[in-house]
Amino acid sequence: MNPNSILGRYLSKQIILNFLGVLLTVLGVVFIFELIEMLRRSAGREEAGFVFVIQMALTKLPQTIDMVFPFVMMIAAMITFWRLSKSNEFVIIRAAGVSIWGFLFPVLVATFVVGIINITVINPVSSKMYELYETMDYRFKTRNPNAVLFTDKGLWTREAINKDTVLVIQAKNLHQENDTLLLRDVSIMEMDRKSRLIRRVEAFAATLDDKNGFELKDVKVYEAGKARIDLPSVKYTTSLTLERIKENFVDPESISFWDLPDTIRFYEKSGFSALKHYLHYLSLLASPFLLCTMILIAAVFALRPNNRRGGVMFLIVGGVSTGFIVYFLSQVIYAFGLNGYIPPFMAVWTPTLIAGLISVSVLLHLEDG
């Protein structure tokens, strides 16, 4: 069936409207529970006003919604299919000669478009909100309204500045003021590609901003066979930025879909493992297909010519249980990939492919029957 046909647009409209309805309902329920939890945590804390509590509850919503997004789509599909079956619209559509695949095609296209919008538009916004929540939660725990997430965690990073030289940068303390990062007790080791030390640079303080780059102050330079050199300041050419340093202290979920490829390349070039970020990036790419798989699972339980057979309880329990099993297995396989036991591609795509193929097989059997 053509998704642009009258019937195709009608089915697409139904799945999108039901999806938005279920999503708003879940958002409301999650927000109420998050708000209650934050009110409990902030009891007796005068510095945590009601506005601050509301902000924390709102900024934490994307983290929870990302986890339940496939379930929201599956429930919306089950509601859509159940209503079409109950009103006999599904029977009429089938009697008109439309196959089960012609019926599902507009729904799958609309779902895939929702998945694309989720990772390209919604994900960048939700990642910023989640990053804001982590910062606010850190300020709440430290009772410091101006604290940043990495205030006292220090810095230890590695950067390849060219094909022959690698920098290992360590700083014991960091503090952000506006768009400038202040570092204390900085140590930089310049090494070649065989990890042989070329020289060591130590500084009492350093500043990093996107305009002036990386500047060390009160510097001591140590090099084998040479006397120590004392310098008032030294500038370094670096690709480090405030955003890069923040990414060392936040989860991949706090990084936008559009920024993940550059982050992965940066880590790999610097010699760090980017497996966690790469897996998250692959999972985002696979999410539209996972949503389509949830549609197929819902169709197995909800698309029946006579919806009274099996009852509504079978529809609810069977669909939700199957969705939970798929989600649980996907998390287990994802953990195997995160620990390097299986390739990242298999860790992300295997659950979606298996669940999708099984659903297609069952629907083929029902279609033939």
Side-chain angles (χ1 to χ4, degrees):
M1 182 193 301
N2 188 350
N4 292 323
S5 63
I6 296 177
L7 183 57
R9 293 198 300 270
Y10 173 75
L11 295 175
S12 301
K13 179 181 177 181
Q14 291 298 311
I15 186 66
I16 292 176
L17 289 178
N18 287 323
F19 168 75
L20 292 176
V22 175
L23 181 62
L24 291 175
T25 302
V26 173
L27 280 172
V29 173
V30 172
F31 176 74
I32 290 174
F33 279 97
E34 293 292 350
L35 184 61
I36 293 173
E37 173 63 18
M38 284 306 305
L39 288 172
R40 184 193 64 81
R41 289 177 56 189
S42 61
R45 298 278 297 272
E46 296 181 358
E47 72 276 10
F50 187 70
V51 175
F52 182 81
V53 171
I54 291 288
Q55 289 176 342
M56 286 199 66
L58 285 174
T59 53
K60 194 180 179 183
L61 277 179
Q63 179 192 16
T64 306
I65 294 303
D66 285 343
M67 296 175 58
V68 301
F69 203 84
F71 289 103
V72 171
M73 181 58 73
M74 186 183 70
I75 294 173
M78 293 174 68
I79 293 173
T80 302
F81 296 153
W82 177 73
R83 287 179 175 176
L84 291 174
S85 298
K86 185 179 179 180
S87 62
N88 292 323
E89 291 176 275
F90 177 62
V91 176
I92 296 173
I93 293 172
R94 294 299 306 276
V98 179
S99 68
I100 189 69
W101 308 113
F103 174 84
L104 287 175
F105 184 68
V107 178
L108 291 173
V109 170
T111 302
F112 192 82
V113 171
V114 170
I116 294 297
I117 294 174
N118 177 49
I119 63 176
T120 57
V121 179
I122 300 177
N123 174 264
V125 177
S126 63
S127 63
K128 292 298 182 183
M129 291 179 65
Y130 183 55
E131 179 185 350
L132 179 60
Y133 166 76
E134 287 190 317
T135 302
M136 295 177 68
D137 186 57
Y138 185 70
R139 292 175 178 176
F140 180 79
K141 292 177 180 177
T142 59
R143 298 175 181 264
N144 182 3
N146 298 317
V148 293
L149 183 62
F150 46 84
T151 298
D152 58 0
K153 291 188 176 183
L155 173 69
W156 184 281
T157 186
R158 174 176 168 173
E159 178 189 8
I161 58 175
N162 55 52
K163 63 179 182 179
D164 298 320
T165 307
V166 176
L167 300 182
V168 177
I169 305 172
Q170 180 189 12
K172 293 183 179 180
N173 300 98
L174 295 90
H175 180 70
Q176 184 180 5
E177 292 183 359
N178 298 324
D179 295 329
T180 302
L181 186 67
L182 306 179
L183 304 92
R184 288 291 183 93
D185 298 326
V186 181
S187 177
I188 300 177
M189 291 182 289
E190 298 182 11
M191 299 185 296
D192 60 19
R193 283 295 179 176
K194 296 183 179 180
S195 298
R196 292 179 298 195
L197 183 65
I198 300 175
R199 66 173 181 168
R200 188 176 86 252
V201 179
E202 294 184 355
F204 174 73
T207 59
L208 175 66
D209 60 59
D210 297 337
K211 294 182 179 180
N212 301 319
F214 194 34
E215 184 176 1
L216 307 179
K217 299 179 181 180
D218 193 5
V219 183
K220 297 178 176 62
V221 181
Y222 300 89
E223 192 170 353
K226 297 182 180 180
R228 188 186 76 184
I229 302 175
D230 296 336
L231 299 171
S233 65
V234 172
K235 283 192 174 183
Y236 264 91
T237 301
T238 177
S239 59
L240 284 176
T241 62
L242 291 178
E243 292 299 321
R244 292 289 188 209
I245 293 178
K246 284 183 180 181
E247 290 162 4
N248 281 278
F249 305 100
V250 298
D251 296 329
E253 291 79 9
S254 299
I255 304 175
S256 168
F257 169 79
W258 301 108
D259 295 334
L260 274 171
D262 290 337
T263 302
I264 293 170
R265 283 193 292 268
F266 173 79
Y267 282 150
E268 290 177 344
K269 182 180 178 181
S270 300
F272 287 106
S273 173
L275 180 60
K276 188 176 181 180
H277 295 77
Y278 183 57
L279 277 170
H280 181 64
Y281 182 66
L282 286 180
S283 66
L284 289 176
L285 292 177
S287 60
F289 298 94
L290 178 60
L291 296 180
C292 292
T293 298
M294 290 299 180
I295 295 292
L296 296 176
I297 293 174
V300 169
F301 291 93
L303 280 183
R304 296 177 178 274
N306 185 359
N307 196 58
R308 290 175 294 179
R309 186 180 62 187
V312 178
M313 187 58 65
F314 172 78
L315 165 69
I316 297 175
V317 175
V320 172
S321 299
T322 304
F324 176 78
I325 291 172
V326 171
Y327 177 77
F328 175 77
L329 291 178
S330 66
Q331 293 301 304
V332 172
I333 297 175
Y334 189 90
F336 281 129
L338 196 59
N339 287 278
Y341 295 121
I342 58 177
F345 185 86
M346 291 183 60
V348 171
W349 286 94
T350 298
T352 300
L353 291 175
I354 292 178
L357 291 175
I358 292 176
S359 299
V360 169
S361 300
V362 174
L363 289 173
L364 285 172
H365 174 73
L366 295 175
E367 176 78 358
D368 293 339

